[in-house]
Amino acid sequence: ENGATGGGLSQDETCLNPKGYWITGTTTSNNIEVLEGVETDITLDNVSITIGKVNTTTSKWDCINVSHADVVITLVRKNRLYSQAGGTADKYKNGNAITKDGMDGSLTIQCENEDKKGHRCDESCGSLSAKGDPSKSHAGAIGGTYRVAINPDTKPIETGFVNFTIKGGNIEASAGAHCPGIGAACRAQERGGYTKDILISGGNVTAVGTQYGSGIGSGMGTKVDGIRITGGTVKATGGQYAPGIGASG
């Protein structure tokens, strides 16, 4: 709400940039977090973020966290988000490539040509690889987090995954066991959260599920209310006990 801090800035901002933020570069120690209630635009331009590899005691469990905010992400060139935060003895130390926890806020992903009438994405458009380490359970791709879903102090509005739109870009999403490629975390429904209102209107989307994780939908035991595909190309595959598109068993 007071603008950007850290991440190579010469000094912290005191207010939000009305033009949004253009981010580029590679890091294994920094991440992107948008605070609750903030509305902003972020452009990812050849970004690579890996979380959970160097220092597993860090509090930064997500490459990007936009929970309870309203964010538009525009993709330029190739972008890679990789979460290795999962599979630990501490069940609260897990995270996602992109985290959006809660039954509020919104997230839109698009390519840099979104404003061009009649545009259809091809391999020249911006891309995003959003992945969780496949060897680590609950290392998620795009969606809600297991750590919030299982926290006994979590309120219903704080977990789940809602209001997610893909307008464009070449997007690949896959994760560790029990995680959907895109959607709410397993057990989120126990705290009152679930997946609601996913819209794909453009782009080329590949979403790969896992055991108990849908390609696009949810993790184990979490319902889904509304997945619409009105454009683009979508390839969604589920894992054991989970469909390509829909709620996981």
Side-chain angles (χ1 to χ4, degrees):
E1 58 188 6
N2 295 321
T5 61
L9 291 173
S10 58
Q11 62 182 30
D12 293 346
E13 292 182 343
T14 58
C15 63
L16 280 173
N17 187 332
K19 296 183 178 180
Y21 297 90
W22 193 291
I23 299 171
T24 188
T26 298
T27 182
T28 58
S29 57
N30 293 307
N31 69 342
I32 300 169
E33 297 183 12
V34 181
L35 297 183
E36 180 177 351
V38 169
E39 182 176 347
T40 192
D41 298 327
I42 295 173
T43 297
L44 300 181
D45 182 355
N46 210 29
V47 168
S48 177
I49 302 175
T50 301
I51 286 294
K53 180 178 181 180
V54 175
N55 179 8
T56 55
T57 65
T58 181
S59 60
K60 298 174 181 176
W61 301 115
D62 312 297
C63 299
I64 298 177
N65 191 327
V66 298
S67 300
H68 315 296
D70 294 288
V71 178
V72 175
I73 294 177
T74 300
L75 305 174
V76 177
R77 297 191 288 177
K78 294 182 179 181
N79 301 280
R80 177 182 181 271
L81 307 175
Y82 192 57
S83 172
Q84 293 187 311
T88 64
D90 187 336
K91 58 187 177 182
Y92 295 113
K93 291 182 178 180
N94 55 76
N96 296 345
I98 298 180
T99 288
K100 183 189 175 302
D101 276 314
M103 300 299 290
D104 60 348
S106 64
L107 172 61
T108 296
I109 299 177
Q110 62 188 25
C111 79
E112 70 271 36
N113 298 309
E114 166 57 27
D115 59 349
K116 295 181 179 179
K117 186 176 180 180
H119 171 72
R120 296 184 66 178
C121 286
D122 58 27
E123 61 183 16
S124 68
C125 292
S127 66
L128 173 64
S129 170
K131 297 183 177 182
D133 188 331
S135 70
K136 298 181 182 295
S137 60
H138 303 298
I142 301 175
T145 61
Y146 182 66
R147 69 175 186 269
V148 171
I150 63 170
N151 189 329
D153 296 326
T154 293
K155 299 176 182 178
I157 197 172
E158 294 173 340
T159 188
F161 182 72
V162 303
N163 303 330
F164 176 64
T165 300
I166 295 176
K167 291 184 175 181
N170 298 307
I171 298 169
E172 296 182 3
S174 64
H178 290 211
C179 290
I182 299 172
C186 69
R187 298 180 60 184
Q189 193 170 334
E190 295 178 15
R191 307 290 175 215
Y194 53 97
T195 296
K196 183 178 180 180
D197 294 338
I198 292 177
L199 169 63
I200 300 174
S201 60
N204 299 302
V205 180
T206 300
V208 180
T210 62
Q211 184 184 47
Y212 294 109
S214 307
I216 302 173
S218 67
M220 181 180 67
T222 298
K223 72 177 182 179
V224 173
D225 180 10
I227 297 174
R228 291 186 295 148
I229 300 172
T230 61
T233 299
V234 178
K235 298 179 181 179
T237 57
Q240 188 178 21
Y241 312 119
I245 297 176
S248 173

